[in-house]
Amino acid sequence: MSIQHALLVSLLEKPSSGYELANRFDRSIGYFWQATHQQIYRELGRMAERGWIVADNAAGGDKRQKKTYQVLPAGREELIRWAQTPDPSPHGGRSLLVKLRAEAVIGPLGLDEQLREFMAQRQAQLDIYRAIERRDFSPERMTPARRLQYMVLKRGITMEEGWLEWAQEVLPLVSRTPPPA
Amino acid sequence: MSIQHALLVSLLEKPSSGYELANRFDRSIGYFWQATHQQIYRELGRMAERGWIVADNAAGGDKRQKKTYQVLPAGREELIRWAQTPDPSPHGGRSLLVKLRAEAVIGPLGLDEQLREFMAQRQAQLDIYRAIERRDFSPERMTPARRLQYMVLKRGITMEEGWLEWAQEVLPLVSRTPPPA
DNA sequence: CCATCCATGTAATTCGTTACATGATTAT
DNA sequence: ATAATCATGTAACGAATTACATGGATGG
């Protein structure tokens, strides 16, 4: 998943302290990615070690005072590298959301291939659910228990459909070659 | 989250071995909850220690052979207790899916209050997103970058709407007092 | 001066992931 | 026989959660 890359995007959008990031994470990206402040501080520390980000706080030792972090070129490159690496996990959609925000701050990343692959995966999962639906949930013989089980499956189905419709709408925004009128 | 309760439901639906559960978890509940087999074996071991489940494997020591687990009364009671405890986390919807399957196997649990509370939370989050939408994404001044950011927000919006519509449909199935015609 | 919020951190524990290991059963 | 699959487990590591601690800044 990588919280680090989500943090990089947030920092590119606006240099911030760990505390601010922790609060900001409640909004926007926050429904999809939640992170505690300890988690955020840890990852900020690591990214600083790796030279991806710096705190503006010059020499003063580790006094307990506000540190505003900024993204360094190495961090920017790492974000681009990550954004161009497909995430085949079932939560690939969440990654794509972060990648879209990345594209919004640092320009075209060529995400259309990843998006198409993602759509193919969602379609495949949807087909599986549809098959189960036809096999196990025909309108006859619908006991109350079966109806409840069906609602669970239905949530899976509409989730997949939701991602597919969304991806369909995103596609023209990330395509290098817009479809001819 | 509690994988344990998801496993209890699966075992009530059908007594199984850890291996079978690991494979089964790919389907049905599997999109929402994924668990590796090591995780499943560990949790099965713990639940057996607590007396929630038993392996049918009588005395034979820990020979590496198939153990089919069954839910004991204590496990059943624990599942009911958990199902009747609200989950206020942002992923409360996932819990509700498991609880619906629980209700399907062990009968009415009185979930309507939890469902209504869940809907109120989703509605509140939706209102927040709608406010951001009105404030930051008016149709004028839509740069390409802004359009990308908007698609991220839109995914949040349709997710909330998806949960709300689903919950609306589930409500009559878990209500003790069905609405008068 | 006292409470509250801002801001960062350490420590302990639990959870999840990955790698590895082992043996039993079934099919070729 | 031997390969594949079924089936369970140990060990090590890294990530996440929870509790706790510290101190500066702000407002009443």
Side-chain angles (χ1 to χ4, degrees), chain B residues 1-178:
Chain B
M1 308 205 177
S2 197
I3 305 168
Q4 299 196 335
H5 300 98
L7 291 173
L8 283 174
V9 174
S10 276
L11 288 178
L12 280 169
E13 289 174 348
K14 182 175 166 55
S16 315
S17 68
Y19 186 86
E20 289 167 327
L21 286 168
N23 291 334
R24 189 125 54 87
F25 243 57
D26 286 343
R27 330 192 189 302
S28 62
I29 315 185
Y31 181 69
F32 311 103
W33 308 69
Q34 75 260 24
T36 61
H37 68 110
Q38 294 84 346
Q39 213 178 145
I40 287 171
Y41 285 126
R42 198 203 317 163
E43 298 304 332
L44 286 174
R46 285 177 189 176
M47 288 195 286
E49 272 180 34
R50 292 182 202 178
W52 294 359
I53 60 177
V54 250
D56 62 355
N57 179 10
D62 39 320
K63 304 262 156 79
R64 241 56 97 63
Q65 59 188 353
K66 189 173 169 179
K67 292 177 188 171
T68 301
Y69 287 96
Q70 252 185 300
V71 179
L72 294 174
R76 201 185 180 83
E77 281 158 32
E78 167 58 24
L79 181 61
I80 292 170
R81 189 202 59 74
W82 171 79
Q84 292 177 344
T85 307
D87 173 1
S89 85
H91 302 299
R94 283 161 157 66
S95 305
L96 277 174
L97 291 167
V98 177
K99 289 174 183 179
L100 281 194
R101 289 186 81 111
E103 170 143 343
V105 263
I106 58 181
L109 293 164
L111 295 173
D112 52 343
E113 204 177 312
Q114 281 186 62
L115 192 63
R116 275 178 228 275
E117 176 56 27
F118 173 69
M119 290 173 77
Q121 287 168 17
R122 306 284 46 96
Q123 185 62 55
Q125 190 62 43
L126 181 56
D127 291 343
I128 291 169
Y129 288 152
R130 289 277 186 217
I132 297 172
E133 186 182 29
R134 278 190 302 273
R135 183 161 51 80
D136 295 350
F137 299 100
S138 58
E140 325 85 66
R141 304 272 185 99
M142 268 301 206
T143 64
R146 263 217 163 327
R147 250 182 276 275
L148 288 169
Q149 291 167 352
Y150 187 33
M151 288 314 293
V152 177
L153 179 63
K154 262 197 169 177
R155 192 70 266 261
I157 289 173
T158 55
M159 278 223 162
E160 299 298 349
E161 288 175 341
W163 278 111
L164 274 169
E165 281 163 33
W166 173 82
Q168 201 65 255
E169 205 177 338
V170 172
L171 206 46
L173 301 181
V174 295
S175 291
R176 261 88 51 100
T177 57

Side-chain angles (χ1 to χ4, degrees), chain A residues 17-19 37 41 64 66-67:
Chain A
S17 67
Y19 187 85
H37 67 110
Y41 286 127
R64 240 56 98 61
K66 189 174 168 176
K67 292 176 187 170

